[in-house]
Structure formats: structure tokens, C-alpha cells
Amino acid sequence: MKKWKYGCALFLAVCVAASIIGTDPYRIADAFSRLGQGPDFLYKWKDVPNVQGEQDFTPGAQWKDEEGNLIQAHGGQVQYMEVPDENGRKKKQYVWIGENKSTGHFGNCFAVYTSDDLYHWECRGDVLRSIASWQQLTEDPYFTELYKGCSQEELKEIFSCIHAQAVMERPKMLYNAATDQYVIWFHSDDATSKNTYKYDVGMAGVAVSDSPFGPFRFLHRQRLSQCPKGEIDCYPFSKGEARDLNLFQDRDQTAYIVYTSENNKTLYISRLNESYTDLCTDPENAVSGKDFMRLFPGAMREAPVLIRGENGRYYLMSSSTTGWMSNQARVWSADSIFGTWQNDGNPCIGVGANVTFDSQSTCLFRAENGQWIYYGDRWNAKDLADSRYIWLPVQFAGERLTISWKERWRWEEP
Ligand code: GAL
């Protein structure tokens, strides 16, 4: 009788869990991994002020652009760079690129904003647009001009990569001085003919433009470096995957892409070619330790961010893999990109540190006074367009990179 009762209780518990989590194997894995986050695992910030300050950062508040619309630049990147002004002359401004999530999960365009002080942002529009229909691609002057001269086959390929139901995430942009072009890399995904899960394509997409304000022309998408022979591939069924990704430009202008692969189990860093539009060596011929490096096999890290501090050391921050839910960040550091990466642990300090202050890493950038800033996403799975931004000051304690919570702060006096 007792056994019967326990059996019923267990069955009920499984039903309740399944109704909350669902039956998607990725979500089930996410839920288990979140349970491992310790006491903060259910931490949710409740008391954020609703409005971003006029002259300060209010992490987690709604942040509107100069026209009063919510800033749509999620999973993005901020950098201080030269941009053309109205007269075509170059001036330095902060440029923020990210996912415009006003269409929800799918069909995200990439939007760009500019600012002189990091507090006030002007929307410069969608710089890489997804394509709503075949008719739009072949008749709308925006697209016909952009893809002029493409064959039918090429147009079909472009349409299949950036159509409005595709997944387009985590855009990152670099300026290439040699070609005088701006290059965007992004996570380009969709369902495959074999699987219906929208994250099965697992590729990196590339687009270029003469201006940071677009329009960006989609070039191609591809799988990247593969597990070297002799090492144990954590996901041998699908080689060279690339999902959450980021770009890094070193002091000598060499650029790298850092991305999660092997079904989000292993991170990779691969060197880009001189125009930044492709890998320096194709995956079949790439040499581990020279062209790419495979990092922390099986550690299940994503949302990677790679920077080089003033001390010359490289820092690689990432999150765990719990979908839209926040989890614990971790930083590794190294003396050289393809050198030995040391595990520096969780960079966050204080309450909420176990869930990265309820955010997921997407960028670390320097303000013009040299102050480093952490920019993470506080995803709102129920309304992705109203996901919030968590910007916090970064400190370097000796060689260690740390991040602490601030309710309101200014980059001029962190
Ligand atoms: C996160 C990833 C996001 C998005 C999300 C979808 O882990 O970092 O960019 O892909 O999963 O669940």
C-alpha cells in the first residue's frame, strides 16, 4: 500500500516537473544543470528601478533610446570605435550592436546604436535584416540592391540562412583596416531536414558592409574547427558546430572567433583570415595550437567573451548552459591565446554571484577612460524584447578579473 502511494507521488512529481520544464531534452539538461548552481539557483532580481538613470547605469532597468523605444541590442557588443559622421568624416563613438528581439525568438534583425557618453543611445536602425519572404528578397529594393548580381542558387542560399523564421543570435562586429570593411559574425541557426529543433544547423554566419550602419550583406555561413584526431570528441555526431560566439581583435590586429561547439560542451578559439571573413585555415587542414585551440572539453560553457587586459593577459569569460535562465559565470586566463588556460573561477562577488547577478555574459569593453565594463543579458523568456541589460564595473585585482553588483553607478567614477 505504502509503495503504491510513493509510486503515485513520484509519478505526480514527474508530471509536474515535465509540465514546467517540458519534454525537450535540452531543457531537461538545463534544469538539472541549474540545480547544481547552489543557493542562488532561484535568484531573481525583484527590486530593480524601472527606468535607466539619465546620467548613470541602473543595471536591470528598462533602457530606452533617444526616441523613447526600448533598446533592442541583446546578446550584443559595445565598442569605442571610429565611425563616419554626416559628412563622411570619421569620429569616435560608442557603437552598440545586438539582436533586435521585437520579433521574439525568431527572425531577429541586428540593430546598431551610437552614443557619446554610454548613457544616451541613438538608434541607427537594423543593419542586417532578416528576410520575410522570397518576394521581399527578389522585389524589395533594399534586398535587390544588396544582392545584385547573385545567381538564383546564391539567392536561395541567402534566403535559407537569414529568413524570418531562422535563429540569428549574438552578432559581433569588427572593423578591418586592410579592407576598410566592417565584418559581422553571428550564430546562424535553424532546423535541419533531419531534425526540427531550431538549433540543429549550429553554424557561424558572416556579413560585411562599408559602414558600421549597414546595410550588411550576408556572405556565407559555415561550420568551424573540429576536434583534433587523438582527442575525445564530446559530440562526434556533428562536427565543427558553432553556436554562442564572440570575436576578439588582438593588439597586432589578428582576429579570433571564440565559440561553443560539440553540442555546447566544448569551447574553441579559431584564428580568422586577414579580411576577417573566414577562418585562417579551413577546418580539414587546420592545425591545433596554431590555427585553433579546443578548450575545456565537456565543461559545457557558452556565451564566451575574450579580451586582453592592460596587463597583457587574456581573459575568457563564459556562462554555463541553461538557456534563458542565468547561471554561474567562470573566467579562465592565459599568457597567450593558444597557451595554457588557468581556471580563475567565478569572477562575480557578493549576493547573486552564483547566477552572474541574474545575467549571461555577452561583452566586456573599455570606456574611453580605461574603465572595463561587463555587459550581460538578463533574459526575459516570456517577453524577449523586454530582456534587460546588466552593465557592471570590472576590476582587476592583481591578475584576477572581478565583477561586483552596483545598483546605480557611473563609468566616470565607478
Ligand atoms: C542561451 C544562449 C542564447 C540563446 C538561448 C536560447 O544559452 O546563450 O544566446 O541561444 O540559449 O535558449
Side-chain angles (χ1 to χ4, degrees):
M1 181 65 175
K2 252 191 180 168
K3 267 190 192 161
W4 182 82
K5 275 190 187 159
Y6 283 133
C8 277
L10 187 67
F11 178 71
L12 244 159
V14 170
C15 287
V16 171
S19 68
I20 298 171
I21 301 165
T23 51
D24 180 341
Y26 287 82
R27 283 196 58 112
I28 294 170
D30 279 357
F32 275 108
S33 118
R34 195 164 162 91
L35 281 172
Q37 299 303 321
D40 279 352
F41 85 98
L42 280 178
Y43 201 95
K44 273 271 158 211
W45 237 266
K46 293 195 184 70
D47 306 321
V48 275
N50 252 338
V51 182
Q52 157 74 15
E54 265 298 307
Q55 289 302 334
D56 60 25
F57 300 126
T58 317
Q62 282 200 330
W63 202 344
K64 296 189 174 161
D65 65 16
E66 290 300 273
E67 280 173 13
N69 301 313
L70 283 182
I71 293 179
Q72 288 299 329
H74 310 277
Q77 169 212 38
V78 175
Q79 58 192 312
Y80 192 52
M81 71 192 309
E82 284 200 330
V83 298
D85 68 10
E86 313 73 50
N87 307 312
R89 280 193 287 269
K90 294 222 167 168
K91 64 168 181 177
K92 271 201 143 182
Q93 270 199 311
Y94 293 102
V95 177
W96 184 353
I97 185 171
E99 301 159 22
N100 177 347
K101 282 211 160 320
S102 49
T103 54
H105 191 175
F106 303 114
N108 297 157
C109 302
F110 298 147
V112 161
Y113 294 78
T114 50
S115 172
D116 292 317
D117 63 2
L118 285 172
Y119 303 118
H120 302 92
W121 292 91
E122 184 189 344
C123 181
R124 311 298 294 250
D126 289 329
V127 297
L128 174 59
R129 283 173 54 184
S130 59
I131 307 164
S133 63
W134 178 256
Q135 191 184 5
Q136 188 184 41
L137 176 62
T138 51
E139 290 176 17
D140 181 335
Y142 176 93
F143 289 108
T144 51
E145 185 59 29
L146 202 52
Y147 296 112
K148 190 165 58 190
C150 286
S151 66
Q152 280 292 104
E153 281 314 299
E154 286 165 337
L155 287 178
K156 275 188 199 154
E157 173 63 11
I158 292 161
F159 186 61
S160 79
C161 294
I162 57 170
H163 64 88
Q165 274 76 46
V167 173
M168 294 165 64
E169 292 179 343
R170 296 191 174 267
K172 304 290 177 301
M173 175 170 68
L174 286 183
Y175 171 67
N176 185 292
T179 57
D180 195 19
Q181 274 197 322
Y182 296 79
V183 185
I184 293 178
W185 282 72
F186 64 100
H187 172 195
S188 174
D189 226 313
D190 207 339
T192 58
S193 50
K194 287 198 199 111
N195 291 306
T196 52
Y197 189 64
K198 282 282 190 177
Y199 282 101
D200 282 318
V201 165
M203 288 191 186
V206 183
V208 293
S209 173
D210 294 335
S211 161
F213 309 129
F216 276 79
R217 179 184 157 92
F218 176 80
L219 286 186
H220 53 81
R221 73 177 180 189
Q222 60 190 321
R223 288 279 172 100
L224 303 179
S225 306
Q226 301 180 5
C227 181
K229 288 198 180 72
E231 293 182 26
I232 300 170
D233 193 333
C234 297
Y235 201 66
F237 323 101
S238 183
K239 300 273 184 198
E241 286 181 349
R243 293 204 172 83
D244 282 8
L245 57 78
N246 218 314
L247 297 178
F248 165 68
Q249 190 178 35
D250 211 341
R251 293 176 189 169
D252 65 358
Q253 306 300 302
T254 309
Y256 300 83
I257 178 166
V258 52
Y259 52 100
T260 183
S261 191
E262 299 177 16
N263 201 21
N264 291 352
K265 291 185 174 59
T266 303
L267 288 178
Y268 280 68
I269 301 176
S270 303
R271 191 149 52 89
L272 299 185
N273 67 2
E274 289 189 354
S275 62
Y276 301 167
T277 54
D278 210 330
L279 296 182
C280 67
T281 314
D282 65 86
E284 277 71 37
N285 298 307
V287 178
S288 167
K290 179 175 160 276
D291 302 317
F292 76 98
M293 190 171 192
R294 180 173 181 256
L295 293 168
F296 333 128
M300 302 198 71
R301 309 303 301 174
E302 60 181 5
V305 184
L306 179 58
I307 59 158
R308 190 170 185 188
E310 274 69 59
N311 55 9
R313 205 163 166 77
Y314 297 87
Y315 295 88
L316 173 50
M317 182 174 180
S318 62
S319 74
S320 181
T321 53
T322 53
W324 303 120
M325 294 186 289
S326 47
N327 54 53
Q328 193 177 111
R330 203 181 299 169
V331 166
W332 277 264
S333 64
D335 285 331
S336 63
I337 286 260
F338 294 150
T340 307
W341 287 86
Q342 164 189 308
N343 186 347
D344 293 344
N346 183 357
C348 301
I349 297 170
V351 176
N354 277 346
V355 286
T356 324
F357 310 112
D358 199 5
S359 73
Q360 185 183 30
S361 45
T362 188
C363 178
L364 290 161
F365 69 96
R366 271 181 84 210
E368 52 190 302
N369 65 350
Q371 173 63 46
W372 281 92
I373 297 174
Y374 163 76
Y375 150 25
D377 295 287
R378 183 174 286 175
W379 298 112
N380 176 356
K382 293 203 181 91
D383 181 3
L384 284 167
D386 191 21
S387 298
R388 308 292 174 86
Y389 307 104
I390 304 298
W391 286 24
L392 291 168
V394 172
Q395 292 88 26
F396 287 89
E399 283 197 337
R400 205 171 156 231
L401 182 161
T402 63
I403 304 167
S404 320
W405 177 254
K406 293 248 182 192
E407 212 159 290
R408 298 186 93 101
W409 69 286
R410 292 168 51 77
W411 60 269
E412 297 92 333
E413 53 219 49

